[in-house]
Amino acid sequence: MQPFSYLKIHDVAAAIDHGAREPNTVFLAGGTDLVQLLQDGIARPDGVVDITDLPFSTIATTLDGLRIGALAKLSEVAGHPHVRERLPAVATALDETASPMVRNMATIGGNVLQRTRCLYFRDGVSPCNKREPGTGCGARMGRDAQAALFGASEACVATHPSDLAVALLALDAEALVVGPGGERSIPIERLHRLPGETPWIDSDLEPGEVISAIFVPRDAAGRAQAYAKLRHRASFEWPLVSAAVSLANVDGMIEDARVALGGVAHKPWRAEHVERLLIGRTLDAALAREAGEAATEGARPIAENAAKIPLLARVVSRALSDAGGLP
Ligand SMILES: Cc1cc2nc3c(=O)[nH]c(=O)nc-3n(C[C@H](O)[C@H](O)[C@H](O)COP(=O)(O)OP(=O)(O)OC[C@H]3O[C@@H](n4cnc5c(N)ncnc54)[C@H](O)[C@@H]3O)c2cc1C
Ligand code: SF4
């Protein structure tokens, strides 16, 4: 492990100031991803700023929606009455994330900003443009069943691993951010980046910016919704492919739809053409299957990841069936 300075900060302004002055600084929340990356020499910051004492742990319902403090633990959010009763897509995504022990340590902000599970990135030695810019892409040169189907570049085919972020995208949630420029909100849809030529930049956060909360708009709680996930084994595993849907129904007809896909791109991937296909129709098993097939349009597999395509169709169909209460 490369040596780094460690600073535990108690005040938001000091955290922002430190992060802005020292761009090669990382924030430490639950540490369940970052500590592993430090131990493996994959993250090599000059400094680690521990933000666990910042006042970002509150979960509050407001007139506008639900505000989830970025430092709230996954288990606390999963158990919150508003989430359990009114946001089943979020509850399911969190229930299916990691293990109870990890969910008791890991935070909401850290979950949406966790780094890719690409094997070549994580092994610390293979060529990897995300870990060591300019070294090449081990996954493109080798074989990788995890690789992206959408939005990949020559430089990187990694996927984003968060379950929660996919559910948040389907619910049109936002990340509330504080930084040197003040406060701003970033729709989850724009928080993460496609790899392009700079795959080492995962998100649109500026140096010194910290996520203070995730905001889920009130409208989300009134929509039919579900999250479905397929993985290599039944427990403690990131998604191979996943899907979250949220539907506004009027008299049995879909008036509005949001469809988000996980495990298929460098960011949670919104399938707007599937949303258009659903709007104005009545959800039944045939439409759920049709939408699942449509979700695979435009997929660009590289090798082993072609196996994800039929799985993607099934997981989208499953999420829609669950949202509609179909068998
Ligand atoms: C065994 C195991 C199984 C897992 N399975 C799954 C799974 O199935 N699905 C899934 O989605 N995840 C899974 N995870 C990942 C886990 O959910 C994440 O490691 C965790 O949510 C990260 O949160 P953290 O608070 O520990 O973040 P940290 O490790 O502290 O930080 C992660 C990253 O986020 C940054 N960061 C953290 N908080 C903020 C903030 N507020 N503002 C700005 N930057 C911030 C850090 O600088 C770092 O880059 C698993 C993890 C383990 C160990
Ligand atoms: S896919 Fe991205 S993260 Fe994986 S080896 Fe290639 S450059 Fe690295």
Side-chain angles (χ1 to χ4, degrees), residues 29 109 176 214-215:
L176 308 183
I214 297 290
F215 178 72

Side-chain angles (χ1 to χ4, degrees), residues 10-327:
H10 307 280
D11 146 316
V12 179
I16 293 168
D17 185 52
H18 199 84
R21 273 190 293 111
E22 302 283 349
N24 196 22
T25 289
V26 286
F27 295 124
L28 176 76
T32 59
D33 191 29
L34 183 58
V35 170
Q36 192 65 58
L37 294 172
L38 292 167
Q39 281 172 343
D40 293 345
I42 295 165
R44 294 182 201 155
D46 294 326
V48 170
V49 171
D50 183 335
I51 59 171
T52 48
D53 275 356
L54 297 188
F56 295 158
S57 301
T58 308
I59 309 169
T61 42
T62 69
L63 284 178
D64 298 332
L66 181 70
R67 197 178 193 283
I68 307 171
L71 290 171
K73 308 290 190 204
L74 305 190
S75 53
E76 292 164 354
V77 179
H80 191 276
H82 185 93
V83 172
R84 288 239 81 80
E85 289 157 25
R86 312 202 62 191
L87 300 174
V90 173
T92 307
L94 290 173
D95 287 347
E96 298 201 358
T97 291
S99 62
M101 204 166 68
V102 174
R103 293 198 293 271
N104 283 338
M105 281 189 75
T107 66
I108 294 294
N111 181 275
V112 298
L113 292 176
Q114 65 178 292
R115 305 210 69 195
T116 182
R117 303 307 303 178
C118 173
L119 302 173
Y120 300 89
F121 170 79
R122 295 262 164 185
D123 74 13
V125 291
S126 296
C128 174
N129 290 322
K130 188 183 274 295
R131 176 171 28 79
E132 297 266 355
T135 56
C137 171
R140 265 200 182 280
M141 293 187 253
R143 306 173 70 190
D144 193 348
Q146 294 179 358
L149 295 172
F150 303 104
S153 69
E154 278 303 312
C156 179
V157 293
T159 54
H160 187 73
S162 165
D163 285 293
L164 173 67
V166 178
L168 293 176
L169 174 59
L171 299 180
D172 204 12
E174 295 169 9
L176 308 183
V177 169
V178 286
E183 296 184 23
R184 65 180 179 126
S185 85
I186 310 176
I188 291 297
E189 193 161 3
R190 293 212 307 270
L191 178 64
H192 304 96
R193 295 168 61 128
L194 289 178
E197 306 269 295
T198 54
W200 53 92
I201 307 175
D202 286 335
S203 81
D204 265 358
L205 292 181
E206 300 288 343
E209 281 192 326
V210 61
I211 298 182
S212 57
I214 297 290
F215 178 72
V216 185
R218 194 173 74 146
D219 169 60
R223 294 164 73 104
Q225 57 189 265
Y227 180 74
K229 165 177 179 176
L230 287 173
R231 47 189 159 179
H232 280 300
R233 54 179 185 177
S235 66
F236 308 173
E237 188 61 288
W238 287 265
L240 186 59
V241 288
S242 69
V245 300
S246 82
L247 308 171
N249 293 310
V250 175
D251 296 333
M253 194 184 78
I254 299 170
E255 191 185 53
D256 186 43
R258 285 181 70 93
V259 177
L261 313 179
V264 295
H266 203 252
K267 55 189 282 184
W269 188 256
R270 186 160 169 212
E272 289 183 78
H273 66 290
V274 182
E275 297 169 1
R276 286 192 294 274
L277 179 149
L278 291 166
I279 291 170
R281 297 175 68 183
T282 299
L283 184 60
D284 58 15
L287 180 59
R289 276 197 302 276
E290 185 186 339
E293 289 302 326
T296 67
E297 284 168 20
R300 300 264 179 279
I302 55 168
E304 289 175 338
N305 66 336
K308 283 184 175 182
I309 293 176
L311 298 178
L312 178 62
R314 286 176 56 187
V315 85
V316 169
S317 176
R318 181 72 264 157
L320 281 165
S321 300
D322 289 351
L326 304 174

